[in-house]
Amino acid sequence: MTDNIVDAFTRALLDVDRLAAKQIVQNRGHDTAPVKFAEDVVLPALERIGAGWQSGTLALSQVYMAGRICEDLIDQILPPEDPDRKNQPKMAICILSDHHKLGKIMVYSLLRASGFDLADYGVMEVDDLVEQVQKDNIDILLISVLMLPSALKIKAVKQKLARLGCDVKLIVGGAPFRFDDQLWKTVGADAMCRDASDAVSVIENIMEGMA
Amino acid sequence: MNQKSVTSMQRVLTTLGHREPDRVPFFLLATLHGAKEVGLPIKTYFSDPDNVVEGQMRLLAKYRHDCIYSFFYAPVEIAAFGGEVVFTDDGPPNSGEPVIKKTGDIKNLAVPDVKNTPCLEKVLTATQKLKSRVKDDVPIIGVVMSPFSLPVMQMGFDRYFDLMFEKPDLFTHLMQVNQAFCVEWANAQLAAGATAICYFDPVSSTTITTRQMYLKTGFAVAGQTLAKINGPTATHMASGRCLPIIEDIAATGTAAVGVSCHEDMALIKNACRGKLAVIGNLNGIEMCRWSSEDAEKHVKEVIAKAGAGGGCILSDNHGEIPFQVPDDVLMAISEAAHTWGRYPLNWTADK
Ligand code: B12
């Protein structure tokens, strides 16, 4: 049953058919809580699309449009700050040092569409980022970069946070990490995602470790 | 052919004609390493065309490769549109805040005057001076961003996708402005002495757009634009994938295609045979931590998969070597290219 819904929902997203997608959300039945729908239908659909991008069968434009449609739909049934949004660690996302926002936008949309809430720091430089993370008591920091020099700056973020005694988990992503599967370790991250939709399972793993 | 008398130009032309020259040509598409060679910070290096001439000439002598790369950096085109270029000490300059702030700004976007834009003039001056140094012995590769890929820097990727999907009229208008600029910019570089133009078009790659979308957008734009460029062109996917659209790329009238390390060169070569030469596909980012043995292994792999019959140029997969790649790795690549690239490629038979 859910499988069929996920199939239909995935199809609607790939066709950029907002109406069809909306219809599926509306027909979900009264007993399906929004968070449950996000977990059982939206996330699996986005994960499938993300996996298709990683294997080269789908294009980024499809991943992007799918994320946007889902974020809008989920915001309608599960507004920001809704207490039903997942009970979760304190999270923030940023772009480090470069001006390329798309990766961050996609991860942010996907996490919100999956029922998470997180702070959006926008573009940050190392020192401001470290200060903000400490001030906000962040548990998980997601960092997106597009340029290699920006990726290499993550090392300084990690070192400065450690020096301040902040126990923050770093999840990193962006093009340089897709071209060198060792780079995330070199910069001292705790995890790397090849695609926005990988973030949910990585966060859940970290949450299990924290519990 | 007598080995000694073969120039880089002859070697490259032979391979573009899908025949085997004396060895597989090797393009070291390095920009930032020129600054290292002349010992200048990146920003200073690009501020004076003479530095770039010196840097490129030193790279050519040191690594014995087969082209001059007159490319400065992609955002030079953004500067021409009145935008900002952000320099760093250890990487390529980036474009700053988008020049198209609101979608409505597209209607007022003017085509920059190539002949009277200082940042572009520097590239043209460097091209002229390089030409007087290498004459017809070494091909000079000029660069343009495709009209279809430039908007990512002009307006940001998210807003560009929204435009592509939701505002077809404004999208068409933007393509017209960018196309007029691209053609003029390419032709000015050719007139200054560039041998060929590398048309960077990663937004057309199937990493970014579907083939269906490509046929309606990037493909049509490329066909029209390349037809107006007065010289040979190569299309570069800047490490985006392209196997599903090889036939289409060939139909745009380009002579060669730059291929991602995420694709199998044997499959690509098969699809391109006789139609397009392949350029690639060493992983520039991973290269930062390669050993000499890694370099040799990867070079051999490209040559073994794509070298036979010509139609193959060894290069990185992006069209720019990251600043962090050590010189000894570049040297190891060069040595491997000279050792293993020699035709006939008898050694590949035992693989
Ligand atoms: C399209 C493209 C271009 C276009 C547009 C670029 C742009 N965005 O501004 C053009 C032709 C203009 C271009 C130019 C340049 N480019 Co370019 N380009 C690309 C290409 C093909 C795609 C980039 C892109 O925007 N992708 C979209 C984003 C959203 O994808 P992504 O970062 O991978 O993000 C996804 C995942 O990684 C993940 N993710 C991202 N962040 C995060 C964070 C977290 C926490 C998680 C969980 C997941 C996650 O989610 C996203 C979606 O699923 C890549 C190569 C490639 N195959 O990816 C090179 C690439 C980004 N370019 C590169 C470079 C160097 C440049 C230039 C600087 C070249 C030059 N010397 O001028 C210029 C500068 C551009 C600028 N804006 O200033 C390099 C950067 C690495 C490096 N060497 O430093 C790359 C990686 C190529 C390479 N293989 O080396 N480029």
Side-chain angles (χ1 to χ4, degrees):
Chain A
M1 172 59 192
T2 328
D3 265 2
N4 289 340
I5 300 179
V6 176
D7 285 346
F9 194 67
T10 309
R11 197 63 268 153
L13 295 178
L14 290 177
D15 292 343
V16 199
D17 188 344
R18 282 175 198 273
L19 276 177
K22 190 169 180 179
Q23 212 95 62
I24 296 170
V25 177
Q26 281 168 346
N27 294 347
R28 74 184 185 280
H30 295 297
D31 47 347
T32 312
V35 169
K36 181 136 179 54
F37 182 79
E39 265 171 16
D40 292 352
V41 179
V42 177
L43 181 61
L46 291 175
E47 282 176 340
R48 259 190 222 178
I49 294 174
W53 183 58
Q54 280 186 36
S55 70
T57 53
L58 295 177
L60 190 80
S61 57
Q62 294 171 298
V63 189
Y64 170 70
M65 290 311 281
R68 271 210 25 197
I69 296 173
C70 291
E71 189 186 15
D72 289 350
L73 288 173
I74 293 296
D75 265 354
Q76 287 166 23
I77 56 173
L78 189 67
E81 319 284 323
D82 187 304
D84 275 352
R85 280 194 179 256
K86 289 185 181 170
N87 181 12
Q88 49 183 256
K90 279 198 88 173
M91 298 198 291
I93 188 166
C94 74
I95 304 150
L96 187 60
S97 206
D98 63 34
H99 289 259
H100 309 292
K101 304 195 176 78
L102 185 61
K104 186 222 69 183
I105 292 174
M106 292 176 68
V107 179
Y108 185 75
S109 296
L110 181 122
L111 288 175
R112 304 215 42 257
S114 312
F116 285 93
D117 234 342
L118 69 166
D120 181 355
Y121 289 167
V123 181
M124 286 289 220
E125 288 301 332
V126 174
D127 289 332
D128 295 341
L129 176 61
V130 169
E131 194 178 310
Q132 193 71 40
V133 166
Q134 188 187 28
K135 192 166 126 225
D136 294 350
N137 247 322
I138 296 298
D139 298 310
I140 299 181
L141 176 64
L142 298 107
I143 302 179
S144 176
V145 295
L146 192 69
M147 295 294 132
L148 181 60
S150 313
L152 297 173
K153 286 188 187 167
I154 294 173
K155 203 168 188 170
V157 173
K158 176 77 183 181
Q159 284 165 348
K160 291 190 177 190
L161 284 170
R163 230 174 280 147
L164 293 170
C166 295
D167 181 21
V168 187
K169 298 285 183 231
L170 293 188
I171 306 179
V172 299
F177 297 104
R178 293 194 297 105
F179 284 87
D180 180 356
D181 57 12
Q182 304 289 310
L183 186 59
W184 66 279
K185 291 185 199 149
T186 315
V187 302
D190 295 283
M192 180 271 273
C193 298
R194 294 181 163 272
D195 167 65
S197 67
D198 284 354
V200 174
S201 60
V202 170
I203 291 170
E204 282 171 350
N205 274 342
I206 292 179
M207 283 165 69
E208 267 170 38
M210 284 172 159
Chain B
M1 261 183 242
N2 174 344
Q3 280 218 6
K4 287 237 163 53
S5 69
V6 178
T7 63
S8 291
M9 184 73 90
Q10 290 165 331
R11 186 171 295 129
V12 171
L13 289 175
T14 307
T15 213
L16 289 177
H18 301 271
R19 284 174 295 121
E20 294 185 353
D22 60 330
R23 67 168 165 78
V24 175
F26 164 43
F27 280 7
L28 182 71
L29 300 178
T31 56
L32 308 166
H33 286 76
K36 263 191 209 171
E37 286 302 319
V38 299
L40 288 172
I42 290 168
K43 190 172 178 180
T44 318
Y45 175 72
F46 286 118
S47 67
D48 182 346
D50 286 334
N51 298 335
V52 176
V53 172
E54 189 55 33
Q56 282 297 314
M57 291 309 295
R58 289 194 194 180
L59 290 170
L60 186 69
K62 181 167 172 179
Y63 297 108
R64 297 179 298 143
H65 68 115
D66 292 300
C67 76
I68 288 286
Y69 202 30
S70 55
F71 178 50
F72 280 30
Y73 42 82
V76 77
E77 300 191 11
I78 289 306
F81 274 94
E84 179 201 9
V85 179
V86 184
F87 285 87
T88 51
D89 296 335
D90 59 350
N94 264 230
S95 51
E97 284 302 311
V99 276
I100 300 173
K101 303 221 179 328
K102 304 184 304 303
T103 313
D105 295 347
I106 291 173
K107 287 208 205 86
N108 307 321
L109 200 66
V111 181
D113 175 2
V114 168
K115 303 257 157 50
N116 289 304
T117 306
C119 57
L120 302 181
E121 277 172 46
K122 283 184 191 166
V123 179
L124 296 175
T125 305
T127 310
Q128 274 159 2
K129 293 189 171 184
L130 284 163
K131 178 71 183 178
S132 71
R133 300 281 280 268
V134 300
K135 314 242 161 24
D136 288 331
D137 290 347
V138 183
I140 298 177
I141 311 301
V143 164
V144 295
M145 295 301 117
S146 86
F148 183 59
S149 292
L150 186 63
V152 179
M153 290 192 288
Q154 290 173 308
M155 62 191 299
F157 220 149
D158 52 321
R159 284 166 60 231
Y160 183 42
F161 271 145
D162 296 343
L163 184 81
M164 224 188 278
F165 281 95
E166 286 157 7
K167 306 230 162 59
D169 293 348
L170 279 175
F171 170 79
T172 307
H173 182 75
L174 182 59
M175 289 306 108
Q176 282 161 355
V177 172
N178 286 355
Q179 208 178 92
F181 170 68
C182 180
V183 168
E184 210 198 316
W185 177 218
N187 287 337
Q189 291 181 64
L190 289 166
T195 317
I197 296 294
C198 190
Y199 179 85
F200 270 89
D201 196 16
V203 177
S204 285
S205 74
T206 51
T207 300
I208 306 291
T209 39
T210 59
R211 174 168 186 263
Q212 195 189 11
M213 187 71 165
Y214 170 61
L215 290 177
K216 281 194 287 190
T217 54
F219 171 73
V221 172
Q224 291 159 13
T225 311
L226 298 184
K228 294 186 189 136
I229 295 180
N230 307 326
T233 58
T235 298
H236 212 301
M237 291 293 149
S239 77
R241 298 181 208 241
C242 65
L243 187 57
I245 53 169
I246 286 289
E247 296 276 339
D248 308 316
I249 293 173
T252 64
T254 197
V257 64
V259 178
S260 174
C261 63
H262 290 151
E263 287 183 307
D264 183 337
M265 270 302 236
L267 295 177
I268 293 276
K269 177 66 189 259
N270 237 344
C272 288
R273 200 178 305 275
K275 292 188 284 272
L276 285 173
V278 297
I279 305 174
N281 69 345
L282 303 172
N283 184 340
I285 295 192
E286 214 188 64
M287 212 179 266
C288 299
R289 61 173 171 83
W290 280 359
S291 63
S292 301
E293 292 73 35
D294 292 332
E296 181 175 39
K297 184 186 84 184
H298 290 292
V299 167
K300 285 178 78 175
E301 186 181 332
V302 173
I303 294 173
K305 286 184 167 178
C312 171
I313 295 173
L314 175 73
S315 166
D316 73 296
N317 85 140
H318 172 232
E320 185 190 62
I321 309 277
F323 190 63
Q324 286 72 15
V325 176
D327 288 4
D328 51 7
V329 174
L330 298 183
M331 196 53 87
I333 293 173
S334 165
E335 268 156 24
H338 283 264
T339 307
W340 300 103
R342 215 169 306 120
Y343 286 107
L345 302 174
N346 295 330
W347 62 271
T348 58
D350 10 288
K351 279 202 86 154

